[in-house]
């Protein structure tokens, strides 16, 4: 989980020339005005910002932030024959309920779906082939994950045969 923490310090009549960030009880420190931090796991973290002005005045801001677990996107896609629906099933793992699904079907068509939604959903492709389907899931906390799976659409067989003209009670060979 990548987070960018923005400086919110402001001193009247002075400019800020120093920053000292302490995140997660000093496990992460930075002198950058806007550090980017990767949190390895969810939880609550204390963030301390000490800002120093060009006149050597200091002020401290302490906040607790929450890092949410991200969903684990898993999509299953059935192969289908041309003209029949391809079934797409969301097998994702969620900590909190999903709030939307973005689908890119791989044929220049996209859609966004929202709850309530019943899986599997179906989609019918217009041509045979292999399509790279992408599903982006977003949970109620705004966390996202992406899963990809090939959707295989099989061409229909072209039935054909020939036979000779025959009379009743004669046999014929169908080729």
């Amino acid at each position: 989980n990548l987070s960018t923490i923005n400086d919110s310090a402001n001193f009247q009549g002075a400019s800020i020339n120093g920053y000292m960030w302490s995140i997660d009880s000093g496990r992460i420190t930075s002198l950058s005005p806007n550090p980017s931090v990767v949190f390895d796991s969810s939880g609550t973290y204390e963030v301390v910002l000490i800002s120093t002005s060009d006149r050597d005045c200091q002020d401290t801001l302490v906040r607790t932030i929450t890092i949410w677990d991200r969903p684990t996107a898993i999509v299953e896609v059935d192969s289908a024959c041309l003209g029949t629906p391809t079934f797409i099933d969301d097998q994702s793992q969620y900590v909190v309920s999903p709030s939307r699904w973005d689908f890119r079907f791989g044929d220049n068509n996209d859609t966004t779906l929202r709850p309530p939604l019943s899986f599997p959903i179906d989609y019918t492709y217009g041509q045979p082939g292999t399509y790279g389907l992408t599903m982006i899931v977003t949970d109620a906390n705004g966390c996202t994950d992406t899963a990809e799976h090939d959707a295989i659409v099989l061409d229909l067989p072209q039935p054909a045969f020939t036979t000779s003209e025959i009379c009743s009670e004669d046999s014929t060979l169908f080729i």
Side-chain angles (χ1 to χ4, degrees):
N1 294 339
L2 174 66
S3 292
T4 300
I5 301 174
N6 294 312
D7 154 43
S8 62
N10 185 11
F11 289 100
Q12 288 276 158
S15 60
I16 299 169
N17 67 357
Y19 304 87
M20 178 59 190
W21 294 87
S22 175
I23 302 165
D24 193 20
S25 301
R27 187 180 67 81
I28 302 166
T29 59
S30 176
L31 300 176
S32 169
N34 302 105
S36 289
V37 178
V38 175
F39 292 90
D40 297 330
S41 59
S42 63
T44 55
Y45 296 87
E46 182 178 80
V47 178
V48 179
L49 169 60
I50 301 171
S51 298
T52 305
S53 75
D54 59 354
R55 297 180 184 164
D56 289 328
C57 296
Q58 285 189 338
D59 197 7
T60 302
L61 174 65
V62 179
R63 286 203 181 142
T64 300
I65 63 170
T66 301
I67 303 299
W68 305 105
D69 280 317
R70 120 182 359 265
T72 302
I74 303 168
V75 64
E76 292 184 3
V77 181
D78 289 342
S79 296
C81 294
L82 182 62
T84 62
T86 298
F87 290 98
I88 303 162
D89 198 10
D90 177 19
Q91 295 293 315
S92 302
Q93 298 170 2
Y94 298 95
V95 175
V96 297
S97 60
S99 64
R100 70 187 265 173
W101 296 264
D102 293 296
F103 289 95
R104 297 180 187 138
F105 296 106
D107 63 351
N108 295 321
N109 288 308
D110 302 341
T111 193
T112 297
L113 302 172
R114 298 186 184 277
L117 185 61
S118 179
F119 280 95
I121 62 167
D122 63 83
Y123 182 78
T124 303
Y125 288 90
Q127 297 292 322
T130 300
Y131 298 89
L133 181 133
T134 301
M135 179 183 75
I136 303 166
V137 296
T138 304
D139 70 15
N141 291 325
C143 298
T144 63
D145 196 25
T146 301
E148 297 176 344
H149 199 291
D150 283 343
I152 299 171
V153 180
L154 305 168
D155 203 358
L156 298 176
Q158 301 297 317
F161 66 89
T162 61
T163 186
S164 58
E165 292 188 27
I166 58 166
C167 298
S168 63
E169 299 181 17
D170 289 341
S171 69
T172 188
L173 180 62
F174 292 93
I175 303 173

